[in-house]
Amino acid sequence: MKLKLNQLDILLEVAAQGSIGKAAKALNLTQPAISKTIQEMEAEIGLPILQRSSRGVTLNEYGQVLLRHARDIDRSLHQAREEIDHLLGKAMRQLRVGFTSAASYGPFTNTMIEFQARYPGVKLVAMEGRPHQILDALQNQRLDIAVLTAGTSIVQSGMYYEPLYALSNTIIAGDQHPITHTTSLKSLMNYPWLDWDEPGEHSILAQVFRRYNLPQPQNIVHCSSPWVMARMMEQADMVSMWTSVRLRFPGYNVNLRPLALREVLPATSIGVLCPNIGRLSTAGNTFLEMLRINARDWLQQSDAAEMVARV
């Protein structure tokens, strides 16, 4: 006999309700679906299992045998669920989260605070890095989950990826930079640039210049620290491409300003990455659900409307 668990669930509900209609309502199914399942069970065992009358349905002697074992199976599955939950509960002792600086504003920080307050017993470890560094840490099991700016290589990594929102980008300079009017990428080529990543597939700046069929500037300093970048732009005629959230960080908007550009810059996608969503720990799943809710709520705020790209 090959019976499915959902068939046994229906059998248990029909026996409890004494009515196919009531069982269908309780399980949020249609009456024909319930009747079809009963017919399939009867075909599998080769015997009828129901007795029908004007008052409803009852299980006959064959159905009663099946019901008794269905209850045993249901109890065993419940015990298995409790044991699994106990084992998974051990995973609530630690959560290692990776993030990029652009992804840390708004819902991510709110989620970190909320998670720590709700689960003070969980050891929360957060690591900041560039996207390819975070990806490497996930692949080598040094992190459980990450919230990051996602390029093509991240999305196609074979890991579970879930987009949350997209941020607009802008060209940033110090407030003493000689460019004060609307400009273009080409007119900024001769100035020193700051890029987040070294040349290659990870460099978003390189992708932008390729998009407009321009060679990369000759003078590029590669730096992953926004704080160091900000100080360099304050003291020299340097430019860089930043996501819209970066000027919201304390101390960054005092001596820095966005430049008006003729070109349309591509948006930066912010999303969640983990090796396997099905194997994510209880702590990881809890953090992810909190993040989804916080991201949804944040997107309704005026603060987000000024930074989020509508793609």
mmCIF file of all heavy atoms in Angstrom, residues 261-277:
data_model
loop_
_atom_site.group_PDB
_atom_site.id
_atom_site.type_symbol
_atom_site.label_atom_id
_atom_site.label_comp_id
_atom_site.label_asym_id
_atom_site.label_seq_id
_atom_site.Cartn_x
_atom_site.Cartn_y
_atom_site.Cartn_z
ATOM 1 N N LEU A 261 24.812 64.695 -13.390
ATOM 2 C CA LEU A 261 25.415 63.991 -14.523
ATOM 3 C C LEU A 261 24.387 63.815 -15.635
ATOM 4 O O LEU A 261 23.209 63.564 -15.383
ATOM 5 C CB LEU A 261 25.922 62.619 -14.057
ATOM 6 C CG LEU A 261 27.100 62.005 -14.809
ATOM 7 C CD1 LEU A 261 28.349 62.850 -14.616
ATOM 8 C CD2 LEU A 261 27.343 60.584 -14.306
ATOM 9 N N ARG A 262 24.862 63.947 -16.881
ATOM 10 C CA ARG A 262 23.948 63.754 -18.019
ATOM 11 C C ARG A 262 23.585 62.278 -18.189
ATOM 12 O O ARG A 262 22.468 61.939 -18.564
ATOM 13 C CB ARG A 262 24.607 64.276 -19.306
ATOM 14 C CG ARG A 262 24.853 65.786 -19.308
ATOM 15 C CD ARG A 262 25.275 66.275 -20.683
ATOM 16 N NE ARG A 262 25.634 67.685 -20.665
ATOM 17 C CZ ARG A 262 26.875 68.137 -20.548
ATOM 18 N NH1 ARG A 262 27.879 67.278 -20.468
ATOM 19 N NH2 ARG A 262 27.125 69.423 -20.524
ATOM 20 N N GLU A 263 24.546 61.413 -17.953
ATOM 21 C CA GLU A 263 24.302 59.984 -18.121
ATOM 22 C C GLU A 263 23.414 59.442 -16.991
ATOM 23 O O GLU A 263 23.433 59.945 -15.864
ATOM 24 C CB GLU A 263 25.615 59.195 -18.126
ATOM 25 C CG GLU A 263 26.470 59.415 -19.364
ATOM 26 C CD GLU A 263 27.439 60.577 -19.205
ATOM 27 O OE1 GLU A 263 27.337 61.322 -18.200
ATOM 28 O OE2 GLU A 263 28.296 60.751 -20.075
ATOM 29 N N VAL A 264 22.653 58.428 -17.328
ATOM 30 C CA VAL A 264 21.850 57.724 -16.325
ATOM 31 C C VAL A 264 22.670 56.560 -15.784
ATOM 32 O O VAL A 264 23.093 55.678 -16.540
ATOM 33 C CB VAL A 264 20.534 57.194 -16.933
ATOM 34 C CG1 VAL A 264 19.754 56.399 -15.892
ATOM 35 C CG2 VAL A 264 19.701 58.349 -17.473
ATOM 36 N N LEU A 265 22.908 56.574 -14.495
ATOM 37 C CA LEU A 265 23.717 55.521 -13.885
ATOM 38 C C LEU A 265 22.836 54.319 -13.536
ATOM 39 O O LEU A 265 21.689 54.489 -13.120
ATOM 40 C CB LEU A 265 24.403 56.045 -12.621
ATOM 41 C CG LEU A 265 25.362 57.223 -12.833
ATOM 42 C CD1 LEU A 265 25.907 57.693 -11.489
ATOM 43 C CD2 LEU A 265 26.500 56.842 -13.765
ATOM 44 N N PRO A 266 23.356 53.113 -13.697
ATOM 45 C CA PRO A 266 22.559 51.926 -13.363
ATOM 46 C C PRO A 266 22.300 51.844 -11.866
ATOM 47 O O PRO A 266 23.077 52.349 -11.052
ATOM 48 C CB PRO A 266 23.449 50.766 -13.838
ATOM 49 C CG PRO A 266 24.838 51.314 -13.787
ATOM 50 C CD PRO A 266 24.722 52.762 -14.154
ATOM 51 N N ALA A 267 21.202 51.220 -11.505
ATOM 52 C CA ALA A 267 20.868 51.034 -10.094
ATOM 53 C C ALA A 267 21.695 49.898 -9.508
ATOM 54 O O ALA A 267 22.228 49.047 -10.230
ATOM 55 C CB ALA A 267 19.382 50.741 -9.943
ATOM 56 N N THR A 268 21.806 49.886 -8.198
ATOM 57 C CA THR A 268 22.516 48.830 -7.482
ATOM 58 C C THR A 268 21.499 47.996 -6.712
ATOM 59 O O THR A 268 20.771 48.520 -5.857
ATOM 60 C CB THR A 268 23.552 49.419 -6.502
ATOM 61 O OG1 THR A 268 24.590 50.064 -7.245
ATOM 62 C CG2 THR A 268 24.163 48.327 -5.643
ATOM 63 N N SER A 269 21.437 46.729 -7.017
ATOM 64 C CA SER A 269 20.482 45.832 -6.368
ATOM 65 C C SER A 269 20.998 45.398 -4.995
ATOM 66 O O SER A 269 22.161 45.035 -4.843
ATOM 67 C CB SER A 269 20.237 44.607 -7.242
ATOM 68 O OG SER A 269 19.366 43.693 -6.600
ATOM 69 N N ILE A 270 20.120 45.448 -4.008
ATOM 70 C CA ILE A 270 20.425 44.967 -2.657
ATOM 71 C C ILE A 270 19.588 43.718 -2.408
ATOM 72 O O ILE A 270 18.375 43.724 -2.614
ATOM 73 C CB ILE A 270 20.093 46.018 -1.586
ATOM 74 C CG1 ILE A 270 20.819 47.333 -1.872
ATOM 75 C CG2 ILE A 270 20.447 45.485 -0.193
ATOM 76 C CD1 ILE A 270 22.312 47.283 -1.772
ATOM 77 N N GLY A 271 20.245 42.649 -1.987
ATOM 78 C CA GLY A 271 19.508 41.412 -1.776
ATOM 79 C C GLY A 271 20.141 40.516 -0.732
ATOM 80 O O GLY A 271 21.197 40.823 -0.173
ATOM 81 N N VAL A 272 19.484 39.406 -0.474
ATOM 82 C CA VAL A 272 19.934 38.419 0.503
ATOM 83 C C VAL A 272 20.554 37.242 -0.228
ATOM 84 O O VAL A 272 20.013 36.774 -1.244
ATOM 85 C CB VAL A 272 18.750 37.917 1.360
ATOM 86 C CG1 VAL A 272 19.204 36.839 2.324
ATOM 87 C CG2 VAL A 272 18.133 39.075 2.116
ATOM 88 N N LEU A 273 21.668 36.758 0.288
ATOM 89 C CA LEU A 273 22.350 35.621 -0.312
ATOM 90 C C LEU A 273 22.668 34.601 0.779
ATOM 91 O O LEU A 273 23.121 34.962 1.866
ATOM 92 C CB LEU A 273 23.654 36.078 -0.979
ATOM 93 C CG LEU A 273 24.392 35.052 -1.851
ATOM 94 C CD1 LEU A 273 23.627 34.798 -3.150
ATOM 95 C CD2 LEU A 273 25.800 35.541 -2.177
ATOM 96 N N CYS A 274 22.385 33.328 0.495
ATOM 97 C CA CYS A 274 22.789 32.255 1.401
ATOM 98 C C CYS A 274 23.029 30.996 0.568
ATOM 99 O O CYS A 274 22.492 30.857 -0.526
ATOM 100 C CB CYS A 274 21.755 32.007 2.496
ATOM 101 S SG CYS A 274 20.173 31.385 1.901
ATOM 102 N N PRO A 275 23.849 30.091 1.062
ATOM 103 C CA PRO A 275 24.192 28.901 0.266
ATOM 104 C C PRO A 275 22.989 28.055 -0.128
ATOM 105 O O PRO A 275 22.885 27.585 -1.253
ATOM 106 C CB PRO A 275 25.146 28.129 1.185
ATOM 107 C CG PRO A 275 25.761 29.182 2.052
ATOM 108 C CD PRO A 275 24.651 30.173 2.292
ATOM 109 N N ASN A 276 22.053 27.861 0.810
ATOM 110 C CA ASN A 276 20.901 26.995 0.540
ATOM 111 C C ASN A 276 19.765 27.399 1.472
ATOM 112 O O ASN A 276 19.864 27.233 2.683
ATOM 113 C CB ASN A 276 21.280 25.518 0.757
ATOM 114 C CG ASN A 276 20.195 24.565 0.307
ATOM 115 O OD1 ASN A 276 19.008 24.825 0.481
ATOM 116 N ND2 ASN A 276 20.591 23.449 -0.279
ATOM 117 N N ILE A 277 18.686 27.944 0.922
ATOM 118 C CA ILE A 277 17.576 28.419 1.757
ATOM 119 C C ILE A 277 16.948 27.273 2.541
ATOM 120 O O ILE A 277 16.470 27.455 3.661
ATOM 121 C CB ILE A 277 16.507 29.131 0.882
ATOM 122 C CG1 ILE A 277 15.441 29.805 1.757
ATOM 123 C CG2 ILE A 277 15.868 28.164 -0.103
ATOM 124 C CD1 ILE A 277 15.937 30.947 2.568
#
